[in-house]
Amino acid sequence: MTGTQTELSPRNAFREQQWREAHERYLDCARKVFAGSGYHASTVGDIVEAANGSRATFYAHFRDKADIAAGLFERALPAGAEIYRLAAGFPELTRAAVRAWLDEHVLGFWSRYDVEVMVVNDAMAADPGVAARHYQWGVDAARELRPYLEKWTGAQEQVALTRALLLILQLERLCYHWLVRGVPHDREMMLDILADLWFRELEFLRAGP
């Protein structure tokens, strides 16, 4: 390694750190702005002002307001993927285990990331690119249920993946209206219904075609 390479490496690492810190700062500030004013009423200028930054820096990180809304949701995706990995790893598939998972992990996720969910739904209604990304997130979440999909091979593989995806999208729509938009539901009743739906479908998928 030359002396020049030795000198550039720490400098590049510092620049990368600066870039990441700025990226996270804009995401954090966007979350606060969206939480306070809503997605539609908020502007890129509001986010830039909250971050004490510049439009040039903002556009070095994000294409537009919809892009930062999608980025905000993407930051929550590891936590979202984890809840489906938990469902894939039940020591024993029982209705009680499914209900407990829904209660603790699924509803907990949607309550914790309510702002992220709100803004990505608003953004994808106006931006086909964000809508396409959102659909792919759903597919990726369905793939986390792979232990239930293993017996579905060949032409049936897509059938199983689609069934899992529909199960997730149905859950997402309910949680969005209930936990994010505040449509009232009886929690215990909804948990009972969701547990029935998920337990039956997971049993069906596990059994194979």
Coordinates of all heavy atoms in Angstrom, one line a residue, residues 96-162:
A96 N -52.5 -20.3 20.0 CA -52.1 -19.4 21.1 C -50.8 -18.7 20.8 O -50.6 -17.6 21.2 CB -52.0 -20.3 22.4
A97 N -49.9 -19.5 20.2 CA -48.6 -18.9 19.9 C -48.7 -17.8 18.8 O -48.1 -16.7 18.9 CB -47.6 -19.9 19.3
V98 N -49.6 -18.0 17.8 CA -49.9 -17.0 16.8 C -50.5 -15.7 17.4 O -50.1 -14.6 17.1 CB -50.8 -17.6 15.7 CG1 -51.2 -16.5 14.7 CG2 -50.0 -18.7 15.0
R99 N -51.5 -15.9 18.3 CA -52.1 -14.8 19.0 C -51.1 -14.0 19.8 O -51.2 -12.7 19.8 CB -53.3 -15.3 19.8 CG -54.2 -14.2 20.3 CD -55.3 -14.7 21.2 NE -56.4 -13.7 21.4 CZ -56.3 -12.7 22.3 NH1 -55.2 -12.5 23.0 NH2 -57.3 -11.9 22.4
A100 N -50.3 -14.7 20.5 CA -49.3 -13.9 21.4 C -48.3 -13.2 20.5 O -47.9 -12.0 20.8 CB -48.5 -14.9 22.2
W101 N -47.9 -13.8 19.3 CA -47.0 -13.1 18.4 C -47.7 -11.8 17.8 O -47.1 -10.8 17.8 CB -46.7 -14.1 17.3 CG -46.1 -13.5 16.1 CD1 -44.8 -13.0 16.0 CD2 -46.7 -13.2 14.8 NE1 -44.6 -12.5 14.7 CE2 -45.7 -12.7 14.0 CE3 -47.9 -13.5 14.3 CZ2 -46.0 -12.3 12.6 CZ3 -48.2 -13.2 13.0 CH2 -47.3 -12.6 12.1
L102 N -49.0 -11.9 17.4 CA -49.7 -10.8 16.9 C -49.8 -9.7 18.0 O -49.6 -8.5 17.7 CB -51.1 -11.2 16.5 CG -51.2 -12.1 15.2 CD1 -52.5 -12.8 15.2 CD2 -51.0 -11.2 14.0
D103 N -50.1 -10.1 19.2 CA -50.3 -9.1 20.2 C -49.0 -8.4 20.6 O -49.0 -7.1 20.6 CB -50.8 -9.8 21.5 CG -51.3 -8.9 22.6 OD1 -51.5 -7.7 22.3 OD2 -51.5 -9.4 23.7
E104 N -47.9 -9.1 20.8 CA -46.7 -8.5 21.3 C -45.9 -7.9 20.2 O -45.4 -6.8 20.3 CB -45.8 -9.5 22.0 CG -44.5 -9.0 22.5 CD -43.7 -10.1 23.3 OE1 -44.2 -11.2 23.4 OE2 -42.6 -9.7 23.7
H105 N -45.7 -8.6 19.1 CA -44.7 -8.2 18.0 C -45.4 -7.4 16.9 O -44.9 -6.4 16.5 CB -44.0 -9.4 17.5 CG -43.2 -10.1 18.6 ND1 -42.0 -9.6 19.1 CD2 -43.4 -11.3 19.2 CE1 -41.5 -10.4 20.0 NE2 -42.4 -11.4 20.1
V106 N -46.5 -7.9 16.4 CA -47.1 -7.2 15.2 C -47.7 -5.9 15.6 O -47.4 -4.9 15.0 CB -48.1 -8.1 14.5 CG1 -48.8 -7.4 13.4 CG2 -47.5 -9.4 14.0
L107 N -48.6 -5.9 16.6 CA -49.3 -4.7 17.0 C -48.2 -3.7 17.6 O -48.4 -2.5 17.4 CB -50.4 -4.9 18.0 CG -51.5 -5.8 17.4 CD1 -52.7 -5.8 18.4 CD2 -51.9 -5.5 16.0
G108 N -47.2 -4.3 18.2 CA -46.2 -3.4 18.8 C -45.4 -2.7 17.7 O -45.1 -1.5 17.8
F109 N -45.1 -3.4 16.6 CA -44.4 -2.8 15.5 C -45.2 -1.6 14.9 O -44.7 -0.5 14.7 CB -44.1 -3.8 14.4 CG -43.5 -3.3 13.2 CD1 -42.2 -3.0 13.0 CD2 -44.4 -3.0 12.1 CE1 -41.6 -2.5 11.9 CE2 -43.8 -2.4 10.9 CZ -42.5 -2.2 10.8
W110 N -46.5 -1.9 14.6 CA -47.3 -0.9 14.0 C -47.5 0.3 14.9 O -47.6 1.5 14.4 CB -48.6 -1.5 13.6 CG -48.4 -2.3 12.4 CD1 -48.1 -3.7 12.3 CD2 -48.5 -1.9 11.0 NE1 -48.0 -4.1 11.0 CE2 -48.2 -3.1 10.2 CE3 -48.8 -0.7 10.4 CZ2 -48.2 -3.0 8.8 CZ3 -48.9 -0.7 9.0 CH2 -48.6 -1.8 8.2
S111 N -47.5 0.1 16.2 CA -47.7 1.3 17.1 C -46.4 2.1 17.1 O -46.4 3.3 17.2 CB -48.1 0.8 18.5 OG -49.4 0.1 18.4
R112 N -45.3 1.4 17.1 CA -44.0 2.1 17.3 C -43.6 2.9 16.0 O -43.1 4.0 16.1 CB -42.9 1.0 17.5 CG -41.5 1.6 17.6 CD -40.5 0.5 17.9 NE -39.1 1.1 17.9 CZ -38.0 0.3 17.9 NH1 -38.1 -1.0 18.0 NH2 -36.8 0.9 18.0
Y113 N -44.0 2.3 14.8 CA -43.6 3.0 13.6 C -44.8 3.6 12.9 O -44.9 3.6 11.6 CB -42.9 1.9 12.7 CG -41.6 1.5 13.2 CD1 -41.5 0.2 13.8 CD2 -40.5 2.3 13.1 CE1 -40.2 -0.2 14.3 CE2 -39.2 1.9 13.6 CZ -39.1 0.6 14.2 OH -37.9 0.2 14.7
D114 N -45.7 4.2 13.6 CA -46.9 4.8 13.1 C -46.6 5.9 12.1 O -47.3 6.0 11.1 CB -47.9 5.2 14.2 CG -47.2 6.2 15.1 OD1 -46.0 6.3 15.2 OD2 -48.0 6.9 15.8
V115 N -45.6 6.7 12.4 CA -45.3 7.9 11.5 C -44.8 7.3 10.2 O -45.2 7.8 9.1 CB -44.3 8.8 12.2 CG1 -43.9 9.9 11.2 CG2 -44.9 9.5 13.5
E116 N -43.8 6.4 10.3 CA -43.3 5.8 9.1 C -44.3 5.2 8.2 O -44.3 5.4 7.0 CB -42.2 4.8 9.4 CG -40.9 5.3 10.0 CD -41.0 5.6 11.5 OE1 -42.1 5.6 12.1 OE2 -39.9 6.0 12.1
V117 N -45.2 4.5 8.8 CA -46.3 3.9 8.0 C -47.2 4.9 7.4 O -47.6 4.8 6.3 CB -47.1 2.9 8.9 CG1 -48.3 2.4 8.2 CG2 -46.2 1.7 9.4
M118 N -47.6 5.9 8.2 CA -48.4 7.0 7.7 C -47.8 7.6 6.4 O -48.5 7.8 5.4 CB -48.7 8.0 8.8 CG -49.5 9.2 8.3 SD -49.6 10.6 9.5 CE -47.9 11.1 9.4
V119 N -46.6 8.0 6.5 CA -46.0 8.8 5.4 C -45.8 8.0 4.2 O -45.9 8.5 3.1 CB -44.7 9.6 5.9 CG1 -45.0 10.5 7.0 CG2 -43.6 8.6 6.3
V120 N -45.4 6.7 4.4 CA -45.2 5.9 3.2 C -46.5 5.6 2.5 O -46.5 5.5 1.2 CB -44.4 4.6 3.5 CG1 -45.3 3.5 4.1 CG2 -43.7 4.1 2.2
N121 N -47.6 5.5 3.2 CA -48.9 5.3 2.6 C -49.3 6.5 1.8 O -49.8 6.5 0.7 CB -49.9 4.9 3.6 CG -50.0 3.4 3.9 OD1 -50.7 2.7 3.2 ND2 -49.2 3.0 4.8
D122 N -49.1 7.7 2.4 CA -49.4 9.0 1.7 C -48.5 9.1 0.5 O -49.0 9.6 -0.6 CB -49.2 10.1 2.7 CG -50.3 10.2 3.7 OD1 -51.3 9.5 3.5 OD2 -50.1 10.9 4.7
A123 N -47.2 8.8 0.6 CA -46.3 9.0 -0.5 C -46.6 8.0 -1.7 O -46.5 8.4 -2.8 CB -44.8 8.7 0.0
M124 N -46.9 6.8 -1.4 CA -47.1 5.8 -2.5 C -48.4 6.1 -3.2 O -48.6 5.7 -4.4 CB -47.0 4.4 -2.0 CG -48.1 3.9 -1.1 SD -47.8 2.2 -0.7 CE -49.2 1.8 0.4
A125 N -49.4 6.8 -2.6 CA -50.6 7.2 -3.2 C -50.3 8.2 -4.4 O -51.1 8.3 -5.3 CB -51.6 7.8 -2.3
A126 N -49.2 8.9 -4.2 CA -48.9 10.0 -5.2 C -47.7 9.6 -6.1 O -47.5 10.3 -7.1 CB -48.6 11.3 -4.5
D127 N -47.0 8.6 -5.7 CA -45.7 8.3 -6.4 C -45.7 6.8 -6.8 O -45.5 6.0 -5.9 CB -44.5 8.7 -5.6 CG -43.2 8.6 -6.3 OD1 -42.9 7.5 -6.9 OD2 -42.4 9.6 -6.2
P128 N -45.8 6.5 -8.1 CA -45.8 5.1 -8.5 C -44.5 4.3 -8.1 O -44.5 3.1 -7.8 CB -45.9 5.1 -10.0 CG -46.5 6.4 -10.3 CD -46.0 7.4 -9.2
G129 N -43.4 5.1 -8.1 CA -42.1 4.5 -7.7 C -42.1 4.0 -6.2 O -41.6 2.9 -5.9
V130 N -42.7 4.8 -5.4 CA -42.8 4.4 -3.9 C -43.7 3.2 -3.8 O -43.5 2.3 -3.0 CB -43.2 5.6 -3.1 CG1 -43.4 5.1 -1.6 CG2 -42.2 6.7 -3.1
A131 N -44.8 3.3 -4.6 CA -45.8 2.1 -4.5 C -45.1 0.8 -5.0 O -45.4 -0.2 -4.4 CB -47.0 2.5 -5.4
A132 N -44.3 0.9 -6.0 CA -43.6 -0.3 -6.4 C -42.6 -0.8 -5.4 O -42.5 -2.0 -5.1 CB -42.8 0.0 -7.7
R133 N -41.9 0.1 -4.7 CA -41.0 -0.3 -3.6 C -41.8 -0.9 -2.5 O -41.4 -1.9 -1.9 CB -40.2 1.0 -3.1 CG -39.2 1.4 -4.1 CD -38.7 2.9 -3.9 NE -37.9 3.0 -2.7 CZ -37.4 4.2 -2.4 NH1 -37.6 5.3 -3.1 NH2 -36.6 4.3 -1.3
H134 N -42.9 -0.3 -2.2 CA -43.8 -0.9 -1.1 C -44.2 -2.3 -1.4 O -44.2 -3.2 -0.5 CB -45.0 0.0 -0.9 CG -45.9 -0.4 0.2 ND1 -46.9 -1.2 0.0 CD2 -45.9 -0.1 1.5 CE1 -47.5 -1.5 1.2 NE2 -46.9 -0.8 2.1
Y135 N -44.6 -2.5 -2.6 CA -45.0 -3.9 -3.0 C -43.9 -4.9 -2.8 O -44.0 -6.0 -2.3 CB -45.5 -3.9 -4.4 CG -46.1 -5.3 -4.8 CD1 -47.4 -5.6 -4.5 CD2 -45.4 -6.2 -5.5 CE1 -48.0 -6.8 -4.8 CE2 -45.9 -7.4 -5.8 CZ -47.2 -7.7 -5.5 OH -47.7 -9.0 -5.8
Q136 N -42.7 -4.5 -3.2 CA -41.5 -5.3 -3.1 C -41.2 -5.6 -1.6 O -40.8 -6.7 -1.3 CB -40.3 -4.7 -3.8 CG -39.1 -5.6 -3.8 CD -39.3 -7.0 -4.5 OE1 -39.9 -7.0 -5.6 NE2 -39.0 -8.1 -3.8
W137 N -41.4 -4.6 -0.8 CA -41.2 -4.8 0.7 C -42.1 -5.9 1.2 O -41.7 -6.8 2.0 CB -41.5 -3.5 1.5 CG -40.6 -2.4 1.1 CD1 -39.3 -2.5 0.7 CD2 -40.9 -1.0 1.1 NE1 -38.8 -1.2 0.5 CE2 -39.7 -0.3 0.7 CE3 -42.0 -0.3 1.4 CZ2 -39.7 1.1 0.6 CZ3 -42.0 1.1 1.4 CH2 -40.9 1.8 1.0
G138 N -43.4 -5.9 0.6 CA -44.3 -7.0 1.0 C -43.8 -8.3 0.6 O -43.9 -9.3 1.3
V139 N -43.3 -8.4 -0.6 CA -42.8 -9.7 -1.1 C -41.7 -10.2 -0.3 O -41.6 -11.4 0.1 CB -42.4 -9.6 -2.6 CG1 -41.7 -10.8 -3.1 CG2 -43.6 -9.2 -3.5
D140 N -40.8 -9.3 0.0 CA -39.6 -9.6 0.9 C -40.1 -10.1 2.3 O -39.5 -11.1 2.8 CB -38.7 -8.5 1.1 CG -38.0 -8.1 -0.2 OD1 -38.0 -8.9 -1.2 OD2 -37.5 -6.9 -0.3
A141 N -41.1 -9.5 2.8 CA -41.6 -10.0 4.1 C -42.2 -11.4 4.0 O -42.0 -12.2 4.9 CB -42.7 -9.0 4.6
A142 N -42.9 -11.6 2.9 CA -43.5 -12.9 2.7 C -42.4 -14.0 2.6 O -42.6 -15.1 3.1 CB -44.4 -12.9 1.4
R143 N -41.3 -13.7 2.0 CA -40.2 -14.6 1.9 C -39.6 -15.0 3.3 O -39.0 -16.1 3.4 CB -39.1 -14.1 1.0 CG -39.5 -14.0 -0.5 CD -38.4 -13.6 -1.4 NE -38.8 -13.3 -2.7 CZ -39.1 -14.1 -3.6 NH1 -39.1 -15.4 -3.4 NH2 -39.5 -13.7 -4.9
E144 N -39.8 -14.1 4.3 CA -39.4 -14.5 5.6 C -40.1 -15.6 6.2 O -39.7 -16.3 7.1 CB -39.5 -13.3 6.5 CG -38.7 -12.1 6.2 CD -37.2 -12.3 6.4 OE1 -36.8 -13.3 7.1 OE2 -36.4 -11.5 5.8
L145 N -41.3 -16.0 5.6 CA -42.1 -17.1 6.1 C -41.7 -18.4 5.4 O -42.5 -19.3 5.3 CB -43.6 -16.8 5.9 CG -44.1 -15.6 6.6 CD1 -45.6 -15.3 6.2 CD2 -44.1 -15.9 8.1
R146 N -40.4 -18.5 4.9 CA -40.0 -19.6 4.0 C -40.2 -21.0 4.6 O -40.5 -21.9 3.8 CB -38.5 -19.3 3.6 CG -37.5 -19.4 4.7 CD -36.1 -19.2 4.1 NE -35.9 -18.0 3.5 CZ -35.5 -16.8 4.1 NH1 -35.3 -16.8 5.4 NH2 -35.4 -15.7 3.4
P147 N -40.1 -21.2 5.9 CA -40.3 -22.6 6.4 C -41.7 -23.1 6.1 O -41.9 -24.3 6.0 CB -40.1 -22.4 7.9 CG -39.2 -21.3 8.1 CD -39.6 -20.3 7.0
Y148 N -42.7 -22.2 5.9 CA -44.1 -22.6 5.6 C -44.2 -22.8 4.1 O -45.3 -23.3 3.6 CB -45.1 -21.5 6.1 CG -45.0 -21.4 7.6 CD1 -44.4 -20.2 8.1 CD2 -45.6 -22.3 8.4 CE1 -44.4 -20.1 9.5 CE2 -45.6 -22.1 9.8 CZ -45.0 -21.0 10.3 OH -44.9 -20.8 11.7
L149 N -43.2 -22.4 3.3 CA -43.4 -22.4 1.9 C -42.6 -23.5 1.2 O -42.6 -23.7 0.0 CB -42.9 -21.0 1.3 CG -43.5 -19.8 1.9 CD1 -42.9 -18.5 1.3 CD2 -45.0 -19.7 1.9
E150 N -41.8 -24.2 2.0 CA -40.8 -25.2 1.5 C -41.4 -26.3 0.6 O -40.8 -26.8 -0.3 CB -40.0 -25.8 2.6 CG -39.1 -24.7 3.2 CD -38.4 -25.3 4.5 OE1 -38.8 -26.4 4.9 OE2 -37.4 -24.6 5.0
K151 N -42.7 -26.7 0.9 CA -43.3 -27.8 0.2 C -43.9 -27.4 -1.1 O -44.4 -28.2 -1.9 CB -44.3 -28.5 1.1 CG -43.7 -29.3 2.3 CD -44.7 -30.0 3.1 CE -44.1 -30.7 4.3 NZ -45.1 -31.4 5.1
W152 N -43.9 -26.1 -1.3 CA -44.5 -25.6 -2.6 C -43.4 -25.3 -3.6 O -42.7 -24.4 -3.5 CB -45.3 -24.3 -2.3 CG -46.4 -24.4 -1.3 CD1 -46.2 -24.6 0.1 CD2 -47.8 -24.4 -1.5 NE1 -47.5 -24.7 0.7 CE2 -48.4 -24.6 -0.3 CE3 -48.5 -24.3 -2.7 CZ2 -49.8 -24.6 -0.2 CZ3 -49.9 -24.3 -2.6 CH2 -50.5 -24.5 -1.3
T153 N -43.3 -26.2 -4.5 CA -42.2 -26.2 -5.4 C -42.7 -26.0 -6.9 O -43.9 -26.2 -7.1 CB -41.3 -27.4 -5.3 OG1 -42.1 -28.6 -5.6 CG2 -40.7 -27.5 -4.0
G154 N -41.8 -25.7 -7.8 CA -42.1 -25.6 -9.2 C -43.2 -24.5 -9.4 O -43.0 -23.4 -8.8
A155 N -44.2 -24.8 -10.1 CA -45.2 -23.8 -10.4 C -46.0 -23.4 -9.2 O -46.6 -22.3 -9.2 CB -46.2 -24.4 -11.5
Q156 N -46.0 -24.3 -8.2 CA -46.7 -24.0 -7.0 C -46.0 -23.0 -6.0 O -46.6 -22.4 -5.1 CB -47.0 -25.3 -6.2 CG -48.0 -26.2 -6.9 CD -49.3 -25.6 -7.1 OE1 -49.9 -25.0 -6.1 NE2 -49.9 -25.7 -8.3
E157 N -44.7 -22.8 -6.3 CA -44.0 -21.9 -5.4 C -44.5 -20.5 -5.4 O -44.7 -19.8 -4.4 CB -42.5 -21.8 -5.9 CG -41.6 -21.0 -5.0 CD -40.2 -21.0 -5.5 OE1 -39.9 -21.7 -6.5 OE2 -39.3 -20.3 -4.9
Q158 N -44.9 -20.0 -6.6 CA -45.5 -18.6 -6.7 C -46.9 -18.6 -6.0 O -47.3 -17.5 -5.5 CB -45.6 -18.2 -8.2 CG -46.0 -16.7 -8.3 CD -45.0 -15.8 -7.7 OE1 -43.8 -15.9 -7.8 NE2 -45.6 -14.7 -7.0
V159 N -47.6 -19.7 -6.1 CA -48.9 -19.7 -5.4 C -48.7 -19.5 -3.9 O -49.4 -18.7 -3.3 CB -49.6 -21.1 -5.7 CG1 -50.9 -21.2 -4.8 CG2 -49.9 -21.2 -7.2
A160 N -47.8 -20.2 -3.3 CA -47.6 -20.1 -1.9 C -47.1 -18.7 -1.5 O -47.5 -18.1 -0.5 CB -46.5 -21.2 -1.4
L161 N -46.2 -18.2 -2.3 CA -45.6 -16.8 -2.0 C -46.8 -15.8 -2.1 O -46.9 -14.9 -1.2 CB -44.5 -16.5 -3.0 CG -43.8 -15.1 -2.7 CD1 -43.1 -15.1 -1.4 CD2 -42.8 -14.8 -3.9
T162 N -47.6 -16.0 -3.1 CA -48.8 -15.0 -3.2 C -49.7 -15.1 -2.0 O -50.2 -14.1 -1.5 CB -49.5 -15.3 -4.5 OG1 -48.6 -15.1 -5.6 CG2 -50.7 -14.3 -4.7

